[in-house]
Amino acid sequence: MKEEETKETKKSQNDLILDYENNIRKEIEQTTPLISEELPISKLTEEYRTNTEYLQSIENISKKYKTYRKVRRDGNCFYRSFIYRLFEHICLKNDRDLFDKIKEKIISSKTLTEKNGYEWAVVQDFYEMFLKEFTECFNSLSSGIIPRDYLDKLFSDKEKGNYLIYFIRFC
């Protein structure tokens, strides 16, 4: 009887812990954007004012960049920030040669995904979404859409954002 009570208590504790973790996750999702608005570098200086090593790095970064964006730390933050910046750069520079070079790399990734052991049928939807959004991002400026608005809308759509991330992970 005592053994059953102990198992039941452990199960109950595990359920409580799981509920607590899920509530924290939900709160983070509701209060923290996947990618923030641009923030001044001075915010980093405030945040790390007691860390002299970071302050030196921030000072060096501030010589080249005036703003930054925070990315929600969810296990995909590196991929999300890389893709966002890639798209942002392409949109804002409106550089056809660079666009064509990167598009060529995306297209050639078909071979790479197969070399990495993935069947094309598994990757195809992610590839098509990535290529479509990359192309639309580049064309957004010429079609009268403000690139940042386009990017913010794209990356706030969790499903589309995850498709982009999955494609990069497959490569």
Side-chain angles (χ1 to χ4, degrees), residues 11 42 57 96 103 117 140 145 147 150-151 156 158 164:
K11 182 182 178 204
S42 60
S57 295
R96 173 55 78 175
K103 186 175 178 180
S140 67
I145 299 169
Y150 175 83
L151 289 169
S156 65
K158 195 172 180 178
L164 301 176

Side-chain angles (χ1 to χ4, degrees), residues 12-74:
S12 176
Q13 289 173 340
N14 288 339
D15 288 344
L16 287 172
I17 291 170
L18 190 59
D19 287 345
Y20 181 71
E21 289 173 350
N22 286 335
N23 287 337
I24 290 173
R25 200 171 287 114
K26 284 178 188 174
E27 182 180 336
I28 289 170
E29 286 178 7
Q30 291 171 351
T31 60
T32 308
L34 289 169
I35 297 178
S36 76
E37 297 288 320
E38 283 186 304
L39 303 168
I41 293 288
S42 60
K43 281 241 186 223
L44 285 175
T45 304
E46 293 169 23
E47 187 174 341
Y48 293 102
R49 66 182 169 274
T50 60
N51 188 324
T52 54
E53 290 178 22
Y54 274 21
L55 286 175
Q56 182 62 46
S57 295
I58 293 166
E59 185 178 321
N60 290 335
I61 290 170
S62 70
K63 291 174 185 172
K64 186 171 181 179
Y65 302 101
K66 300 300 175 211
T67 61
Y68 73 103
R69 294 177 187 273
K70 284 190 173 189
V71 179
R72 186 188 305 158
R73 297 173 182 159
D74 65 353

